[in-house]
Amino acid sequence: MNLEGAVVIVTGSATGLGAAVAQRLASKGANVVINYTKSQAEAEASAAACEKLGTEALLCRANVADDADCRRMAEAAVEKWGRVDGLVNNAALAKIAPHADLEALTGQDFLDIFAVNVVGPYQMVRAVAPHMKKLGKGAVVNVSSLSGMSGSGSSIAYAASKAALNTMTLSLARALAPEIRVNAVCPGVMQTRWWREGLGEERYTEFIDRY
C-alpha cells in the first residue's frame, strides 16, 4: 500500500492505538493529522515519530464531540495540504463500570460516551466528506470494538455506543458510496495505558492474563 502524498486525519492519535495507526500511515507515505484533547506532550511525541518516517504531521487539539472542532480540524488539514484523503475515527470515551451494577452509570455517562463514540465520528465524517467528494474518492475507518457485537467491555454504555457505531457505519457506507468508502474495524482487548490506569497494576495484570 502506497499512500505517498495522501492526507489522513486520525482522531485520538496521541497515544495507544491511534498513535500506532498514525505511525503506520506515515510509514506508507501519508501526511497525518495528530488529534488530541488533553495529552499534548504525547501528541507532540506521536507527531515527531511520524515525521521521523519522512512525512509531515499536523497537531490539532480538538474534541470530536464538538462539531465546530471537527470542522476546524478538517479545514486545518485542507489549509496545510489542500486535501483530505482519509479519516480514522479512533477517539473514544469509556468508563469502567460493572455490568451487573445498574447504578454504576448515570444518564450523563451515557450521553458523554455517545457524544464521543457515536456523534463524534458522524461529525468528523460530515466535516471531511465535501473535501473527499471534491477529490472523487476517500476512505473512512471507524474504530469500533468487539464489545459492539458481544455486549461486553468496560461498561454497558460503551458496548452500546460501539454497536451504534457499527450500524452507523453501514448507513454512512450506503449514503456516501461510491466516492467514499466507510468501514469499521472491531478490535478486542488491547494493552493500552487506559486499561492499566483504569484497573490498577494488579487488576490489569489479572485482566490481561485472562484475555
Side-chain angles (χ1 to χ4, degrees):
M1 181 172 60
N2 182 1
L3 297 176
E4 194 72 34
V7 175
V8 184
I9 298 172
V10 184
T11 67
S13 45
T15 62
L17 176 61
V21 168
Q23 290 173 44
R24 181 67 169 173
L25 290 166
S27 74
K28 298 297 183 180
N31 300 311
V32 292
V33 174
I34 302 297
N35 162 246
Y36 70 102
T37 52
K38 298 176 182 177
S39 305
Q40 181 174 345
E42 292 87 343
E44 290 172 351
S46 180
C50 291
E51 290 175 342
K52 282 184 179 179
L53 294 168
T55 62
E56 294 181 323
L58 174 66
L59 279 176
C60 187
R61 182 174 185 176
N63 179 2
V64 298
D66 185 319
D67 184 49
D69 275 12
C70 294
R71 295 179 190 270
R72 176 173 55 81
M73 184 156 35
E75 291 301 327
V78 172
E79 183 177 345
K80 183 171 180 62
W81 293 297
R83 61 192 296 145
V84 177
D85 300 90
L87 166 66
V88 179
N89 278 315
N90 172 74
L93 181 65
K95 178 179 180 179
I96 296 176
H99 288 214
D101 182 2
L102 299 186
E103 298 296 335
L105 292 170
T106 66
Q108 191 60 52
D109 289 328
F110 270 83
L111 293 173
D112 292 344
I113 289 170
F114 269 70
V116 175
N117 297 3
V118 184
V119 180
Y122 179 81
Q123 291 179 159
M124 281 304 306
V125 170
R126 180 167 61 187
V128 302
H131 305 294
M132 291 181 176
K133 287 183 177 179
K134 187 178 294 186
L135 293 175
K137 60 180 181 178
V140 175
V141 176
N142 293 326
V143 179
S144 183
S145 169
L146 285 177
S147 297
M149 294 181 284
S150 67
S152 60
S154 55
S155 72
I156 289 175
Y158 179 81
S161 74
K162 291 303 186 178
L165 180 59
N166 290 344
T167 300
M168 188 174 74
T169 299
L170 294 171
S171 298
L172 288 170
R174 295 187 184 102
L176 298 176
E179 297 97 338
I180 302 172
R181 293 178 289 112
V182 185
N183 290 281
V185 293
C186 298
V189 175
M190 296 180 47
Q191 297 184 43
T192 61
R193 183 183 70 175
W194 185 87
W195 277 113
R196 187 183 297 274
E197 292 178 351
L199 293 173
E201 195 63 38
E202 184 177 346
R203 289 179 61 201
Y204 173 77
T205 300
E206 294 174 354
F207 178 73
I208 294 302
D209 287 345
R210 188 184 321 130
Y211 287 96

PDB file of all heavy atoms in Angstrom, residues 166-195:
ATOM      1  N   ASN A 166     -21.304   0.685  14.769  1.00  0.00           N
ATOM      2  CA  ASN A 166     -21.332  -0.323  13.706  1.00  0.00           C
ATOM      3  C   ASN A 166     -22.500  -0.096  12.761  1.00  0.00           C
ATOM      4  O   ASN A 166     -22.360  -0.173  11.528  1.00  0.00           O
ATOM      5  CB  ASN A 166     -21.431  -1.730  14.316  1.00  0.00           C
ATOM      6  CG  ASN A 166     -20.157  -2.144  15.021  1.00  0.00           C
ATOM      7  OD1 ASN A 166     -19.098  -1.558  14.833  1.00  0.00           O
ATOM      8  ND2 ASN A 166     -20.259  -3.161  15.868  1.00  0.00           N
ATOM      9  N   THR A 167     -23.674   0.168  13.323  1.00  0.00           N
ATOM     10  CA  THR A 167     -24.856   0.414  12.493  1.00  0.00           C
ATOM     11  C   THR A 167     -24.695   1.688  11.690  1.00  0.00           C
ATOM     12  O   THR A 167     -25.050   1.752  10.501  1.00  0.00           O
ATOM     13  CB  THR A 167     -26.118   0.507  13.374  1.00  0.00           C
ATOM     14  OG1 THR A 167     -26.275  -0.726  14.073  1.00  0.00           O
ATOM     15  CG2 THR A 167     -27.352   0.769  12.536  1.00  0.00           C
ATOM     16  N   MET A 168     -24.158   2.730  12.332  1.00  0.00           N
ATOM     17  CA  MET A 168     -23.953   3.992  11.632  1.00  0.00           C
ATOM     18  C   MET A 168     -22.959   3.837  10.481  1.00  0.00           C
ATOM     19  O   MET A 168     -23.087   4.480   9.434  1.00  0.00           O
ATOM     20  CB  MET A 168     -23.464   5.060  12.604  1.00  0.00           C
ATOM     21  CG  MET A 168     -23.409   6.457  11.981  1.00  0.00           C
ATOM     22  SD  MET A 168     -22.990   7.742  13.187  1.00  0.00           S
ATOM     23  CE  MET A 168     -21.227   7.400  13.417  1.00  0.00           C
ATOM     24  N   THR A 169     -21.969   2.975  10.675  1.00  0.00           N
ATOM     25  CA  THR A 169     -21.006   2.716   9.601  1.00  0.00           C
ATOM     26  C   THR A 169     -21.709   2.189   8.357  1.00  0.00           C
ATOM     27  O   THR A 169     -21.421   2.621   7.228  1.00  0.00           O
ATOM     28  CB  THR A 169     -19.935   1.715  10.071  1.00  0.00           C
ATOM     29  OG1 THR A 169     -19.223   2.278  11.181  1.00  0.00           O
ATOM     30  CG2 THR A 169     -18.958   1.388   8.956  1.00  0.00           C
ATOM     31  N   LEU A 170     -22.635   1.257   8.542  1.00  0.00           N
ATOM     32  CA  LEU A 170     -23.401   0.726   7.409  1.00  0.00           C
ATOM     33  C   LEU A 170     -24.215   1.831   6.731  1.00  0.00           C
ATOM     34  O   LEU A 170     -24.253   1.925   5.496  1.00  0.00           O
ATOM     35  CB  LEU A 170     -24.334  -0.388   7.890  1.00  0.00           C
ATOM     36  CG  LEU A 170     -23.672  -1.665   8.403  1.00  0.00           C
ATOM     37  CD1 LEU A 170     -24.717  -2.567   9.043  1.00  0.00           C
ATOM     38  CD2 LEU A 170     -22.961  -2.390   7.271  1.00  0.00           C
ATOM     39  N   SER A 171     -24.848   2.658   7.527  1.00  0.00           N
ATOM     40  CA  SER A 171     -25.665   3.741   6.970  1.00  0.00           C
ATOM     41  C   SER A 171     -24.809   4.723   6.179  1.00  0.00           C
ATOM     42  O   SER A 171     -25.177   5.135   5.068  1.00  0.00           O
ATOM     43  CB  SER A 171     -26.387   4.490   8.101  1.00  0.00           C
ATOM     44  OG  SER A 171     -27.272   3.645   8.794  1.00  0.00           O
ATOM     45  N   LEU A 172     -23.662   5.097   6.738  1.00  0.00           N
ATOM     46  CA  LEU A 172     -22.789   6.051   6.050  1.00  0.00           C
ATOM     47  C   LEU A 172     -22.173   5.453   4.799  1.00  0.00           C
ATOM     48  O   LEU A 172     -21.987   6.142   3.788  1.00  0.00           O
ATOM     49  CB  LEU A 172     -21.687   6.515   7.002  1.00  0.00           C
ATOM     50  CG  LEU A 172     -22.127   7.459   8.130  1.00  0.00           C
ATOM     51  CD1 LEU A 172     -20.993   7.654   9.136  1.00  0.00           C
ATOM     52  CD2 LEU A 172     -22.563   8.809   7.560  1.00  0.00           C
ATOM     53  N   ALA A 173     -21.853   4.155   4.847  1.00  0.00           N
ATOM     54  CA  ALA A 173     -21.278   3.500   3.668  1.00  0.00           C
ATOM     55  C   ALA A 173     -22.248   3.574   2.498  1.00  0.00           C
ATOM     56  O   ALA A 173     -21.850   3.834   1.348  1.00  0.00           O
ATOM     57  CB  ALA A 173     -20.936   2.050   3.991  1.00  0.00           C
ATOM     58  N   ARG A 174     -23.525   3.352   2.783  1.00  0.00           N
ATOM     59  CA  ARG A 174     -24.538   3.433   1.724  1.00  0.00           C
ATOM     60  C   ARG A 174     -24.737   4.874   1.251  1.00  0.00           C
ATOM     61  O   ARG A 174     -24.870   5.140   0.059  1.00  0.00           O
ATOM     62  CB  ARG A 174     -25.863   2.857   2.218  1.00  0.00           C
ATOM     63  CG  ARG A 174     -25.826   1.374   2.537  1.00  0.00           C
ATOM     64  CD  ARG A 174     -27.215   0.843   2.858  1.00  0.00           C
ATOM     65  NE  ARG A 174     -27.174  -0.554   3.261  1.00  0.00           N
ATOM     66  CZ  ARG A 174     -27.254  -0.983   4.511  1.00  0.00           C
ATOM     67  NH1 ARG A 174     -27.404  -0.107   5.500  1.00  0.00           N
ATOM     68  NH2 ARG A 174     -27.216  -2.274   4.792  1.00  0.00           N
ATOM     69  N   ALA A 175     -24.750   5.794   2.206  1.00  0.00           N
ATOM     70  CA  ALA A 175     -25.037   7.189   1.872  1.00  0.00           C
ATOM     71  C   ALA A 175     -23.922   7.844   1.067  1.00  0.00           C
ATOM     72  O   ALA A 175     -24.200   8.709   0.219  1.00  0.00           O
ATOM     73  CB  ALA A 175     -25.275   7.976   3.163  1.00  0.00           C
ATOM     74  N   LEU A 176     -22.681   7.444   1.305  1.00  0.00           N
ATOM     75  CA  LEU A 176     -21.545   8.128   0.680  1.00  0.00           C
ATOM     76  C   LEU A 176     -20.921   7.375  -0.490  1.00  0.00           C
ATOM     77  O   LEU A 176     -20.012   7.893  -1.142  1.00  0.00           O
ATOM     78  CB  LEU A 176     -20.478   8.410   1.738  1.00  0.00           C
ATOM     79  CG  LEU A 176     -20.928   9.336   2.881  1.00  0.00           C
ATOM     80  CD1 LEU A 176     -19.828   9.472   3.916  1.00  0.00           C
ATOM     81  CD2 LEU A 176     -21.340  10.696   2.358  1.00  0.00           C
ATOM     82  N   ALA A 177     -21.379   6.167  -0.744  1.00  0.00           N
ATOM     83  CA  ALA A 177     -20.871   5.411  -1.897  1.00  0.00           C
ATOM     84  C   ALA A 177     -21.301   6.098  -3.193  1.00  0.00           C
ATOM     85  O   ALA A 177     -22.326   6.767  -3.237  1.00  0.00           O
ATOM     86  CB  ALA A 177     -21.419   3.986  -1.851  1.00  0.00           C
ATOM     87  N   PRO A 178     -20.543   5.933  -4.278  1.00  0.00           N
ATOM     88  CA  PRO A 178     -19.323   5.124  -4.396  1.00  0.00           C
ATOM     89  C   PRO A 178     -18.035   5.905  -4.133  1.00  0.00           C
ATOM     90  O   PRO A 178     -16.965   5.315  -4.071  1.00  0.00           O
ATOM     91  CB  PRO A 178     -19.372   4.659  -5.848  1.00  0.00           C
ATOM     92  CG  PRO A 178     -20.006   5.827  -6.567  1.00  0.00           C
ATOM     93  CD  PRO A 178     -21.010   6.404  -5.597  1.00  0.00           C
ATOM     94  N   GLU A 179     -18.126   7.235  -4.021  1.00  0.00           N
ATOM     95  CA  GLU A 179     -16.887   8.004  -3.881  1.00  0.00           C
ATOM     96  C   GLU A 179     -16.131   7.717  -2.591  1.00  0.00           C
ATOM     97  O   GLU A 179     -14.899   7.627  -2.587  1.00  0.00           O
ATOM     98  CB  GLU A 179     -17.175   9.514  -3.955  1.00  0.00           C
ATOM     99  CG  GLU A 179     -17.743   9.982  -5.278  1.00  0.00           C
ATOM    100  CD  GLU A 179     -19.257  10.082  -5.214  1.00  0.00           C
ATOM    101  OE1 GLU A 179     -19.858   9.414  -4.346  1.00  0.00           O
ATOM    102  OE2 GLU A 179     -19.821  10.825  -6.028  1.00  0.00           O
ATOM    103  N   ILE A 180     -16.891   7.599  -1.495  1.00  0.00           N
ATOM    104  CA  ILE A 180     -16.253   7.448  -0.191  1.00  0.00           C
ATOM    105  C   ILE A 180     -16.580   6.080   0.406  1.00  0.00           C
ATOM    106  O   ILE A 180     -17.750   5.719   0.520  1.00  0.00           O
ATOM    107  CB  ILE A 180     -16.713   8.558   0.775  1.00  0.00           C
ATOM    108  CG1 ILE A 180     -16.396   9.934   0.188  1.00  0.00           C
ATOM    109  CG2 ILE A 180     -16.039   8.395   2.141  1.00  0.00           C
ATOM    110  CD1 ILE A 180     -16.989  11.087   0.979  1.00  0.00           C
ATOM    111  N   ARG A 181     -15.545   5.329   0.750  1.00  0.00           N
ATOM    112  CA  ARG A 181     -15.721   4.034   1.391  1.00  0.00           C
ATOM    113  C   ARG A 181     -15.734   4.228   2.905  1.00  0.00           C
ATOM    114  O   ARG A 181     -14.893   4.938   3.448  1.00  0.00           O
ATOM    115  CB  ARG A 181     -14.589   3.082   1.002  1.00  0.00           C
ATOM    116  CG  ARG A 181     -14.602   2.685  -0.473  1.00  0.00           C
ATOM    117  CD  ARG A 181     -13.432   1.791  -0.822  1.00  0.00           C
ATOM    118  NE  ARG A 181     -12.177   2.515  -0.819  1.00  0.00           N
ATOM    119  CZ  ARG A 181     -11.200   2.339   0.058  1.00  0.00           C
ATOM    120  NH1 ARG A 181     -11.328   1.433   1.026  1.00  0.00           N
ATOM    121  NH2 ARG A 181     -10.086   3.035  -0.018  1.00  0.00           N
ATOM    122  N   VAL A 182     -16.676   3.605   3.583  1.00  0.00           N
ATOM    123  CA  VAL A 182     -16.767   3.692   5.044  1.00  0.00           C
ATOM    124  C   VAL A 182     -16.798   2.285   5.615  1.00  0.00           C
ATOM    125  O   VAL A 182     -17.684   1.494   5.277  1.00  0.00           O
ATOM    126  CB  VAL A 182     -18.023   4.474   5.492  1.00  0.00           C
ATOM    127  CG1 VAL A 182     -18.016   4.657   7.014  1.00  0.00           C
ATOM    128  CG2 VAL A 182     -18.113   5.825   4.792  1.00  0.00           C
ATOM    129  N   ASN A 183     -15.833   1.976   6.462  1.00  0.00           N
ATOM    130  CA  ASN A 183     -15.740   0.654   7.067  1.00  0.00           C
ATOM    131  C   ASN A 183     -15.460   0.785   8.560  1.00  0.00           C
ATOM    132  O   ASN A 183     -15.058   1.848   9.043  1.00  0.00           O
ATOM    133  CB  ASN A 183     -14.610  -0.160   6.422  1.00  0.00           C
ATOM    134  CG  ASN A 183     -14.932  -0.566   4.995  1.00  0.00           C
ATOM    135  OD1 ASN A 183     -15.667  -1.518   4.772  1.00  0.00           O
ATOM    136  ND2 ASN A 183     -14.385   0.166   4.029  1.00  0.00           N
ATOM    137  N   ALA A 184     -15.690  -0.293   9.281  1.00  0.00           N
ATOM    138  CA  ALA A 184     -15.373  -0.347  10.702  1.00  0.00           C
ATOM    139  C   ALA A 184     -14.456  -1.526  10.975  1.00  0.00           C
ATOM    140  O   ALA A 184     -14.536  -2.549  10.300  1.00  0.00           O
ATOM    141  CB  ALA A 184     -16.645  -0.477  11.545  1.00  0.00           C
ATOM    142  N   VAL A 185     -13.585  -1.362  11.954  1.00  0.00           N
ATOM    143  CA  VAL A 185     -12.779  -2.466  12.456  1.00  0.00           C
ATOM    144  C   VAL A 185     -13.173  -2.671  13.915  1.00  0.00           C
ATOM    145  O   VAL A 185     -13.505  -1.714  14.616  1.00  0.00           O
ATOM    146  CB  VAL A 185     -11.265  -2.202  12.331  1.00  0.00           C
ATOM    147  CG1 VAL A 185     -10.859  -2.156  10.873  1.00  0.00           C
ATOM    148  CG2 VAL A 185     -10.874  -0.913  13.044  1.00  0.00           C
ATOM    149  N   CYS A 186     -13.157  -3.908  14.368  1.00  0.00           N
ATOM    150  CA  CYS A 186     -13.639  -4.234  15.713  1.00  0.00           C
ATOM    151  C   CYS A 186     -12.574  -4.997  16.491  1.00  0.00           C
ATOM    152  O   CYS A 186     -12.659  -6.227  16.639  1.00  0.00           O
ATOM    153  CB  CYS A 186     -14.928  -5.049  15.632  1.00  0.00           C
ATOM    154  SG  CYS A 186     -16.301  -4.182  14.853  1.00  0.00           S
ATOM    155  N   PRO A 187     -11.569  -4.304  17.009  1.00  0.00           N
ATOM    156  CA  PRO A 187     -10.530  -4.991  17.786  1.00  0.00           C
ATOM    157  C   PRO A 187     -11.047  -5.463  19.138  1.00  0.00           C
ATOM    158  O   PRO A 187     -12.073  -4.974  19.634  1.00  0.00           O
ATOM    159  CB  PRO A 187      -9.449  -3.916  17.960  1.00  0.00           C
ATOM    160  CG  PRO A 187     -10.178  -2.627  17.825  1.00  0.00           C
ATOM    161  CD  PRO A 187     -11.301  -2.869  16.869  1.00  0.00           C
ATOM    162  N   GLY A 188     -10.323  -6.395  19.708  1.00  0.00           N
ATOM    163  CA  GLY A 188     -10.646  -6.863  21.049  1.00  0.00           C
ATOM    164  C   GLY A 188      -9.827  -6.110  22.080  1.00  0.00           C
ATOM    165  O   GLY A 188      -9.458  -4.955  21.872  1.00  0.00           O
ATOM    166  N   VAL A 189      -9.497  -6.772  23.179  1.00  0.00           N
ATOM    167  CA  VAL A 189      -8.744  -6.140  24.259  1.00  0.00           C
ATOM    168  C   VAL A 189      -7.334  -5.803  23.787  1.00  0.00           C
ATOM    169  O   VAL A 189      -6.660  -6.615  23.166  1.00  0.00           O
ATOM    170  CB  VAL A 189      -8.675  -7.070  25.479  1.00  0.00           C
ATOM    171  CG1 VAL A 189      -7.785  -6.463  26.559  1.00  0.00           C
ATOM    172  CG2 VAL A 189     -10.070  -7.316  26.021  1.00  0.00           C
ATOM    173  N   MET A 190      -6.897  -4.587  24.071  1.00  0.00           N
ATOM    174  CA  MET A 190      -5.547  -4.167  23.725  1.00  0.00           C
ATOM    175  C   MET A 190      -4.836  -3.648  24.975  1.00  0.00           C
ATOM    176  O   MET A 190      -5.465  -3.045  25.840  1.00  0.00           O
ATOM    177  CB  MET A 190      -5.591  -3.087  22.663  1.00  0.00           C
ATOM    178  CG  MET A 190      -6.189  -3.662  21.406  1.00  0.00           C
ATOM    179  SD  MET A 190      -6.314  -2.598  20.154  1.00  0.00           S
ATOM    180  CE  MET A 190      -5.705  -1.803  19.586  1.00  0.00           C
ATOM    181  N   GLN A 191      -3.557  -3.883  25.048  1.00  0.00           N
ATOM    182  CA  GLN A 191      -2.784  -3.491  26.230  1.00  0.00           C
ATOM    183  C   GLN A 191      -2.387  -2.021  26.125  1.00  0.00           C
ATOM    184  O   GLN A 191      -1.280  -1.684  25.726  1.00  0.00           O
ATOM    185  CB  GLN A 191      -1.557  -4.390  26.378  1.00  0.00           C
ATOM    186  CG  GLN A 191      -1.905  -5.850  26.611  1.00  0.00           C
ATOM    187  CD  GLN A 191      -0.688  -6.703  26.858  1.00  0.00           C
ATOM    188  OE1 GLN A 191       0.213  -6.322  27.582  1.00  0.00           O
ATOM    189  NE2 GLN A 191      -0.655  -7.881  26.249  1.00  0.00           N
ATOM    190  N   THR A 192      -3.310  -1.165  26.509  1.00  0.00           N
ATOM    191  CA  THR A 192      -3.086   0.270  26.417  1.00  0.00           C
ATOM    192  C   THR A 192      -2.994   0.907  27.800  1.00  0.00           C
ATOM    193  O   THR A 192      -3.362   0.311  28.812  1.00  0.00           O
ATOM    194  CB  THR A 192      -4.231   0.940  25.646  1.00  0.00           C
ATOM    195  OG1 THR A 192      -5.459   0.721  26.355  1.00  0.00           O
ATOM    196  CG2 THR A 192      -4.351   0.366  24.241  1.00  0.00           C
ATOM    197  N   ARG A 193      -2.523   2.143  27.805  1.00  0.00           N
ATOM    198  CA  ARG A 193      -2.379   2.888  29.052  1.00  0.00           C
ATOM    199  C   ARG A 193      -3.714   3.055  29.764  1.00  0.00           C
ATOM    200  O   ARG A 193      -3.782   3.029  30.994  1.00  0.00           O
ATOM    201  CB  ARG A 193      -1.777   4.265  28.732  1.00  0.00           C
ATOM    202  CG  ARG A 193      -1.507   5.137  29.942  1.00  0.00           C
ATOM    203  CD  ARG A 193      -0.988   6.494  29.537  1.00  0.00           C
ATOM    204  NE  ARG A 193      -2.014   7.301  28.902  1.00  0.00           N
ATOM    205  CZ  ARG A 193      -1.837   8.577  28.544  1.00  0.00           C
ATOM    206  NH1 ARG A 193      -0.673   9.158  28.736  1.00  0.00           N
ATOM    207  NH2 ARG A 193      -2.821   9.255  27.979  1.00  0.00           N
ATOM    208  N   TRP A 194      -4.791   3.202  28.986  1.00  0.00           N
ATOM    209  CA  TRP A 194      -6.105   3.434  29.585  1.00  0.00           C
ATOM    210  C   TRP A 194      -6.506   2.287  30.495  1.00  0.00           C
ATOM    211  O   TRP A 194      -6.981   2.507  31.611  1.00  0.00           O
ATOM    212  CB  TRP A 194      -7.153   3.623  28.484  1.00  0.00           C
ATOM    213  CG  TRP A 194      -8.497   3.988  29.036  1.00  0.00           C
ATOM    214  CD1 TRP A 194      -8.957   5.234  29.321  1.00  0.00           C
ATOM    215  CD2 TRP A 194      -9.543   3.072  29.388  1.00  0.00           C
ATOM    216  NE1 TRP A 194     -10.236   5.162  29.829  1.00  0.00           N
ATOM    217  CE2 TRP A 194     -10.617   3.853  29.885  1.00  0.00           C
ATOM    218  CE3 TRP A 194      -9.685   1.690  29.345  1.00  0.00           C
ATOM    219  CZ2 TRP A 194     -11.814   3.284  30.313  1.00  0.00           C
ATOM    220  CZ3 TRP A 194     -10.871   1.118  29.789  1.00  0.00           C
ATOM    221  CH2 TRP A 194     -11.928   1.914  30.259  1.00  0.00           C
ATOM    222  N   TRP A 195      -6.337   1.049  30.042  1.00  0.00           N
ATOM    223  CA  TRP A 195      -6.701  -0.097  30.861  1.00  0.00           C
ATOM    224  C   TRP A 195      -5.823  -0.170  32.106  1.00  0.00           C
ATOM    225  O   TRP A 195      -6.297  -0.459  33.204  1.00  0.00           O
ATOM    226  CB  TRP A 195      -6.565  -1.392  30.064  1.00  0.00           C
ATOM    227  CG  TRP A 195      -7.738  -1.709  29.205  1.00  0.00           C
ATOM    228  CD1 TRP A 195      -7.779  -1.731  27.833  1.00  0.00           C
ATOM    229  CD2 TRP A 195      -9.057  -2.062  29.635  1.00  0.00           C
ATOM    230  NE1 TRP A 195      -9.033  -2.063  27.397  1.00  0.00           N
ATOM    231  CE2 TRP A 195      -9.838  -2.278  28.482  1.00  0.00           C
ATOM    232  CE3 TRP A 195      -9.647  -2.218  30.884  1.00  0.00           C
ATOM    233  CZ2 TRP A 195     -11.176  -2.645  28.538  1.00  0.00           C
ATOM    234  CZ3 TRP A 195     -10.986  -2.579  30.945  1.00  0.00           C
ATOM    235  CH2 TRP A 195     -11.735  -2.790  29.784  1.00  0.00           C
TER     236      TRP A 195
END
